[in-house]
Amino acid sequence: MKIEKNRVVRFHYTVSEPGQPAIETSKEREPLAILIGHGAIIPGLEAAMMDHAAGDSFETVVEADQAYGQRRDEFTQRVPKKHFREARLRPGQEVMLNTAMGPRPVTVLKVGATVVDVDLNHPMAGKALQFQVEIVDVREAEPVEIEHGHVHGEGGAQH
């Protein structure tokens, strides 16, 4: 079965910047399970998966505009210190900031007495990413998965 919209795909991946060591891999844990066509992964990786099938392995480079976007120097914000769980914040530190739209990775720029200046760009913004992908399996999505926009059961939501 080939990968296309509204199919569930379980896959392993290793990601790096081209020519650099791996940043992250799923090889030591369960495969990632996603519902294709519902924004679960970066657009360039999802596009590269299309028409592949279980058992396929491939490598692809995803340019920044199809990954985490271009860096925007003006994409900074001053946030009250009380919104951070970490007791000791320091410039350059990557932390999760809870926002109205869910957790968001940010980089600390400057720490003041009561506020913290953060860079809201994703840490991988502006970077091309090289992926090594192994498709483990592909199946039709259940109607409830399509309705909810995510995978249920093994590798997905358990509700």
Side-chain angles (χ1 to χ4, degrees):
M1 176 180 295
K2 293 207 178 272
I3 296 172
E4 58 186 52
K5 185 174 181 174
N6 291 331
R7 291 207 168 137
V8 172
V9 178
R10 290 184 346 115
F11 67 100
H12 280 293
Y13 67 92
T14 299
V15 62
S16 63
E17 289 182 60
Q20 299 296 314
I23 298 166
E24 182 178 279
T25 186
S26 67
K27 295 281 186 178
E28 302 302 317
R29 57 183 190 264
E30 289 296 311
L32 184 62
I34 63 161
L35 178 59
I36 293 290
H38 292 263
I41 58 174
I42 59 174
L45 180 57
E46 185 173 88
M49 289 180 154
M50 293 301 194
D51 294 325
H52 281 281
D56 287 357
S57 292
F58 65 94
E59 192 170 300
T60 187
V61 174
V62 177
E63 296 302 326
D65 63 330
Q66 290 295 302
Y68 294 100
Q70 298 299 328
R71 268 194 82 65
R72 299 186 310 184
D73 290 335
E74 73 284 358
F75 204 37
T76 62
Q77 186 173 346
R78 183 163 283 168
V79 180
K81 219 178 208 179
K82 67 182 180 183
H83 292 288
F84 295 90
R85 292 184 191 166
E86 290 78 5
R88 296 201 117 190
L89 294 169
R90 61 190 184 289
Q93 183 179 5
E94 290 181 10
V95 297
M96 293 303 284
L97 176 64
N98 289 320
T99 70
M101 296 178 356
R104 176 187 196 113
V106 298
T107 303
V108 175
L109 297 173
K110 182 179 175 186
V111 181
T114 60
V115 295
V116 179
D117 291 344
V118 296
D119 179 350
L120 298 170
N121 286 291
H122 189 282
M124 299 308 293
K127 298 178 180 182
L129 300 175
Q130 182 170 342
F131 287 89
Q132 294 174 327
V133 178
E134 175 192 337
I135 307 299
V136 175
D137 58 52
V138 180
R139 67 170 172 80
E140 291 290 344
E142 299 293 329
V144 69
E145 292 174 316
I146 295 168
E147 180 183 334
H148 290 181
H150 60 254
V151 178
H152 289 184
E154 186 179 352
Q158 302 296 322
H159 63 95

